[in-house]
Amino acid sequence: MFCIGDKVAHPMHGAGIIDAIVTETVAGAKQDYYVFRMPVGGLTLKIPTAAAGTSGLRSIWDLSRVQKLMGDLANLEVERFTGSWNQRYRENMQKLKSGDLYEVARVIKGLLHRESERGLSTGERKMLRTAKHILISEVALSTGEKYDDLEHQVDQAVVGGSEE
């Protein structure tokens, strides 16, 4: 169970802070919810406390683990998809939903590489934006660095590391 003030990450929305735990009645049943606020973008979500585990809500990575990830970005290996765009999309979506920042970074790196070679579909461009947000919002919350500075660092590391 999380407490008010805990820094947490949602696999599809990125990192945020538990602002409150509220009880609401929906369809005649009382249920507790985490009020999850994302500092980047200002999104607020209510996540049922009972479903926190199945939704993938977890504590954010600590500073040392995030620093290791940032150092590993340039050399991160990425699969080169040869299948159809919807197969690539499904596989990338599974990686995002995993909640593992290394998998999210692989999605970013793979999509940036594909973009430089052939361009991306509208859905893949949206996925790239989502993946960057998921990764950078958690790194920003863990390190205290500015989102824009981190976005530049991630872009430089990923693009620099894909020149093989």
Side-chain angles (χ1 to χ4, degrees), residues 75-120:
N75 299 317
L76 204 57
E77 291 190 25
V78 179
E79 294 176 38
R80 304 286 189 234
F81 291 110
T82 55
S84 65
W85 73 268
N86 60 352
Q87 182 183 2
R88 280 192 318 272
Y89 188 89
R90 278 194 308 269
E91 289 181 26
N92 282 334
M93 189 58 74
Q94 282 182 315
K95 289 178 183 177
L96 293 182
K97 288 180 179 179
S98 75
D100 181 341
L101 290 185
Y102 276 93
E103 292 299 312
V104 174
R106 284 185 180 92
V107 170
I108 294 168
K109 192 167 187 173
L111 289 174
L112 284 174
H113 184 266
R114 183 163 188 82
E115 182 178 45
S116 71
E117 285 185 339
R118 302 178 191 176
L120 297 175

Side-chain angles (χ1 to χ4, degrees), residues 1-77:
M1 180 142 192
F2 297 106
C3 299
I4 296 171
D6 285 353
K7 296 176 181 179
V8 296
H10 186 282
M12 293 307 294
H13 296 290
I17 300 166
I18 302 292
D19 266 354
I21 301 172
V22 298
T23 303
E24 294 186 1
T25 303
V26 177
K30 285 189 178 188
Q31 191 167 15
D32 291 333
Y33 292 87
Y34 293 119
V35 179
F36 171 69
R37 179 186 48 84
M38 297 176 52
V40 176
L43 179 68
T44 299
L45 300 172
K46 288 185 181 174
I47 301 169
T49 58
T54 58
S55 72
L57 196 65
R58 61 169 174 76
S59 296
I60 64 168
W61 284 13
D62 64 34
L63 182 60
S64 63
R65 195 169 177 195
V66 165
Q67 288 173 330
K68 180 174 178 352
L69 167 71
M70 293 299 285
D72 291 345
L73 285 179
N75 299 317
L76 204 57
E77 291 190 25

